Amino acid sequence: MTDTSSNIGTIKLQLAVFALVSASFTNIYLTQPILPVLQQEFGVSTIQVSFTVSIVIFGIVLSNLFFGYLSDKMPIHPILLIGGICVALAGLCAALTHDFRLLVTARLVQGLFIPALTTSLAAWLARTLPMERLSVVMGSYVSATVLGGLGGRLLGGWIHPPLHWRYAFFSAAALILVTTVLALIVLPRTSQHVNSAGSSTTSYRSLLFNKDLFLYYCCGAGAFLMFSPIFNYLPYRLAGAPFHFSTELITLIYLVYVLGIFLGPIAGRLSNTYGGGTTLIAGTVILGISQALLLISSIYSVILGLLGICAGFFTIHAVAVGLLNSRLSDGHGKANALYVLFYYGGGWLGITGAGFAFEYKGWTGVIFFVMCFLAVPLITGLKNRA
């Protein structure tokens, strides 16, 4: 294969990966901007309506390792096909139901099969591509997770009027089906294991009980635990006094999330220059200050605080992943699968726990709840400086 045809193949693969991962992550946060709308329509509590987001993350936690394992045993194409169909059908069910329990069940099914489109794809890329192509394509993968998270929020609360939130599920289902077909066409049908990292014999158990690596798993979990509740309960904060924002205006605030597309590479460079430990500590300090800013009843403080939340979170996340992989000599795929497991487990615990805090003390309860976990990335940073 010539260099030109190889480059064209890489670009096509990047586009297919970017499209499918973006569409998958769009489904995760689809209901987040419209939680007050859903709460009123279905007549449920704040904690119950938060399940429409947290149950998706819980589903991802449950099935992530399974699909990582399955992708080593089966060709990627049938896994993607089954995953795409199941996520789309569950989305259609969510759009059509008037039973809140069925809505939550449909969201759980989406969470269970999203790793078929994301974790399996990442494992296939790591197993199949040579390292020089893998780093390029995985850059698209990471950017797609950020864009998909933002896209889901915009689709749910802005592109479609909130009272027609059901159309957002129809749109997301169509997007999943189209991008799945695109991936099935573009991804080469090969069983060749080009990248030797995919054939590792390192066990999940040895990676889980490695004390140094375990700290990075917890760092990712703690970071997402603090990040998820902020954006999940933000609509309640901005819809109430003293702001009284509309759903469309609240959704616009989520545009701060796009900052994450640029912060990953910047955090990596800072880590290389100043060390991972120092960068983690700096990210934690920024995160803590930003959380405090969100207690002030000023839209300028809220926007500045949210920008700081994104800066601190994406810095901690990027550095933790980088430190994890730099400590590995083998088993990169399984170690990263464990990181993702802890990461989403932290997100689910954060949204659920903050729901009780919100019921008890409102927005102030949410902020003080997440502040309790600043110690996790701080301790990780201090240990990496020692």
Side-chain angles (χ1 to χ4, degrees):
M1 181 181 287
T2 64
D3 289 342
T4 301
S5 59
S6 177
N7 288 336
I8 292 173
T10 299
I11 292 172
K12 287 182 178 179
L13 189 58
Q14 276 183 274
L15 291 174
V17 168
F18 187 87
L20 182 56
V21 174
S22 295
S24 301
F25 273 76
T26 293
N27 283 273
I28 299 176
Y29 302 107
L30 203 57
T31 64
Q32 198 169 70
I34 54 169
L35 291 179
V37 175
L38 294 176
Q39 183 178 1
Q40 183 176 6
E41 180 169 336
F42 287 99
V44 294
S45 69
T46 304
I47 295 174
Q48 287 175 307
V49 78
S50 72
F51 288 163
T52 62
V53 178
S54 65
I55 201 70
V56 183
I57 297 173
F58 183 62
I60 293 172
V61 171
L62 289 178
S63 65
N64 180 66
L65 294 184
F66 169 74
F67 279 109
Y69 171 82
L70 196 64
S71 64
D72 283 336
K73 303 296 181 181
M74 289 179 59
I76 187 65
H77 292 78
I79 298 176
L80 293 182
L81 180 60
I82 292 171
I85 291 173
C86 289
V87 171
L89 287 178
L92 293 176
C93 180
L96 295 171
T97 186
H98 293 275
D99 185 331
F100 183 74
R101 291 171 297 181
L102 189 54
L103 172 62
V104 172
T105 302
R107 295 289 282 161
L108 174 61
V109 172
Q110 286 191 304
L112 289 172
F113 284 94
I114 282 174
L117 305 173
T118 55
T119 301
S120 294
L121 183 59
W124 179 86
L125 292 169
R127 186 180 70 245
T128 307
L129 297 181
M131 287 305 298
E132 62 271 14
R133 291 185 69 195
L134 178 63
S135 58
V136 174
V137 176
M138 285 306 292
S140 295
Y141 184 100
V142 173
S143 295
T145 64
V146 178
L147 183 63
L150 174 63
R153 294 173 172 101
L154 295 180
L155 187 63
W158 186 37
I159 295 177
H160 292 292
L163 294 180
H164 301 286
W165 58 267
R166 298 175 187 276
Y167 294 137
F169 276 104
F170 286 121
S171 299
L175 194 60
I176 279 287
L177 290 176
V178 169
T179 54
T180 299
V181 170
L182 176 64
L184 292 174
I185 294 172
V186 172
L187 266 61
R189 295 181 179 274
T190 175
S191 60
Q192 183 182 9
H193 290 198
V194 178
N195 190 346
S196 62
S199 59
S200 167
T201 57
T202 303
S203 68
Y204 277 123
R205 186 180 187 280
S206 63
L207 292 168
L208 180 62
F209 289 98
N210 184 309
K211 293 181 180 179
D212 293 331
L213 301 183
F214 187 77
L215 197 60
Y216 301 130
Y217 306 147
C218 292
C219 189
F224 201 41
L225 188 154
M226 289 184 283
F227 181 78
S228 295
I230 297 295
F231 284 90
N232 204 69
Y233 297 101
L234 180 66
Y236 291 99
R237 168 63 165 167
L238 297 181
F243 303 106
H244 302 293
F245 283 3
S246 67
T247 300
E248 289 82 2
L249 190 55
I250 292 170
T251 305
L252 281 177
I253 303 296
Y254 283 106
L255 286 173
V256 299
Y257 194 78
V258 79
L259 190 64
I261 296 175
F262 309 101
L263 281 174
I266 293 173
R269 286 195 291 270
L270 290 174
S271 181
N272 290 335
T273 303
Y274 300 104
T278 300
T279 309
L280 275 178
I281 293 170
T284 305
V285 171
I286 293 171
L287 192 58
I289 293 172
S290 302
Q291 288 168 349
L293 283 173
L294 294 179
L295 292 170
I296 301 174
S297 297
S298 163
I299 189 56
Y300 301 108
S301 294
V302 169
I303 293 174
L304 185 60
L306 291 175
L307 287 170
I309 292 289
C310 288
F313 164 71
F314 283 111
T315 296
I316 293 169
H317 179 32
V319 173
V321 171
L323 288 172
L324 171 68
N325 284 280
S326 69
R327 299 294 192 271
L328 295 168
S329 58
D330 194 14
H332 290 73
K334 290 178 180 176
N336 281 277
L338 282 171
Y339 180 90
V340 171
L341 176 68
F342 274 73
Y343 179 80
Y344 282 110
W348 176 73
L349 287 172
I351 291 174
T352 304
F356 289 101
F358 184 83
E359 289 275 305
Y360 181 62
K361 283 291 185 180
W363 180 251
T364 303
V366 172
I367 298 301
F368 281 110
F369 171 79
V370 298
M371 278 184 162
C372 294
F373 296 91
L374 287 168
V376 179
L378 181 62
I379 290 171
T380 307
L382 291 172
K383 283 189 172 292
N384 274 273
R385 288 192 67 188

